[in-house]
């Protein structure tokens, strides 16, 4: 479902199981130009259970080559025109999630994927909307945790 509660449940489960993870967020709403694929920069990062993720230039950076579970939540201003799209920019815009604008209230979008990320690699988002005008992202959260080491 397209709900922040899904991401909150995942965060709670990781915390209860003492898994190392981090949550990167947006501290203030950010405007997106109509029909422009925008590299979206997060502003805050919190590590949990001694995790060592870093936020560098708005992108989450990992220290080790591994498979990572990445969950994203984005909430757009209310506007019932067009689509909303989010993608992981590091993988030629794949995977990608596209939803139609909500008829009422904010449009909310969630995406979850397991990604191979090399040491010192980053996770960054590209976000796009085509509402016909500039539109704000009210909230954005990215949760990341390592799920498997890679044999190197």
């Amino acid at each position: 479902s397209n709900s922040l509660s899904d991401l909150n449940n995942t965060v709670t489960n990781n915390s209860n199981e003492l898994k190392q993870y981090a949550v990167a967020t947006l501290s203030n709403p950010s405007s997106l130009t109509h029909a422009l694929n925008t590299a979206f920069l997060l502003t805050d990062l919190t590590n949990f259970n001694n995790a060592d993720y870093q936020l560098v230039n708005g992108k989450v950076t990992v220290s080790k080559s591994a498979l990572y579970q990445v969950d994203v939540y984005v909430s757009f201003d209310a506007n019932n025109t067009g689509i909303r799209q989010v993608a992981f920019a590091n993988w030629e815009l794949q995977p990608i999630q596209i939803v139609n604008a909500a008829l009422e209230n904010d449009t909310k979008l969630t995406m979850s994927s397991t990604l191979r990320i090399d040491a010192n690699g980053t996770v960054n988002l590209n976000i796009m909307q085509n509402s016909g005008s500039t539109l704000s992202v009210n909230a954005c959260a990215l949760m990341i945790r390592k799920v498997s080491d890679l044999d190197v």
Side-chain angles (χ1 to χ4, degrees):
S1 84
N2 289 337
S3 166
L4 182 57
S5 64
D6 292 342
L7 183 61
N8 285 335
N9 289 338
T10 301
V11 167
T12 300
N13 290 341
N14 286 337
S15 182
N16 290 342
E17 295 170 13
L18 299 179
K19 294 178 182 173
Q20 292 183 329
Y21 67 99
V23 177
T25 57
L26 178 68
S27 58
N28 293 303
S30 181
S31 295
L32 288 178
T33 302
H34 163 73
L36 180 64
N37 200 15
T38 303
F40 200 75
L41 305 179
L42 297 166
T43 55
D44 300 296
L45 179 88
T46 304
N47 282 298
F48 296 89
N49 300 321
N50 299 312
D52 63 350
Y53 300 95
Q54 295 182 6
L55 192 64
V56 179
N57 298 322
K59 304 170 186 178
V60 177
T61 302
V62 303
S63 61
K64 298 179 182 174
S65 295
L67 294 177
Y68 292 87
Q69 178 68 36
V70 182
D71 298 293
V72 176
Y73 167 83
V74 182
S75 176
F76 296 86
D77 252 353
N79 178 315
N80 65 2
T81 304
I83 63 165
R84 310 296 178 262
Q85 170 182 303
V86 65
F88 295 115
N90 313 51
W91 292 266
E92 283 118 27
L93 303 181
Q94 298 295 328
I96 192 167
Q97 178 75 356
I98 300 172
V99 297
N100 290 324
L103 295 178
E104 299 177 4
N105 304 318
D106 294 354
T107 299
K108 296 170 178 58
L109 185 149
T110 58
M111 181 170 68
S112 182
S113 190
T114 302
L115 305 173
R116 178 190 170 131
I117 306 172
D118 292 329
N120 303 311
T122 62
V123 176
N124 53 306
L125 302 174
N126 277 2
I127 299 179
M128 194 277 294
Q129 60 85 17
N130 68 351
S131 66
S133 62
T134 298
L135 193 65
S136 286
V137 169
N138 295 322
C140 183
L142 181 149
M143 196 267 321
I144 184 169
R145 72 176 177 88
K146 184 172 73 170
V147 293
S148 177
D149 288 318
L150 296 175
D151 293 330
V152 181

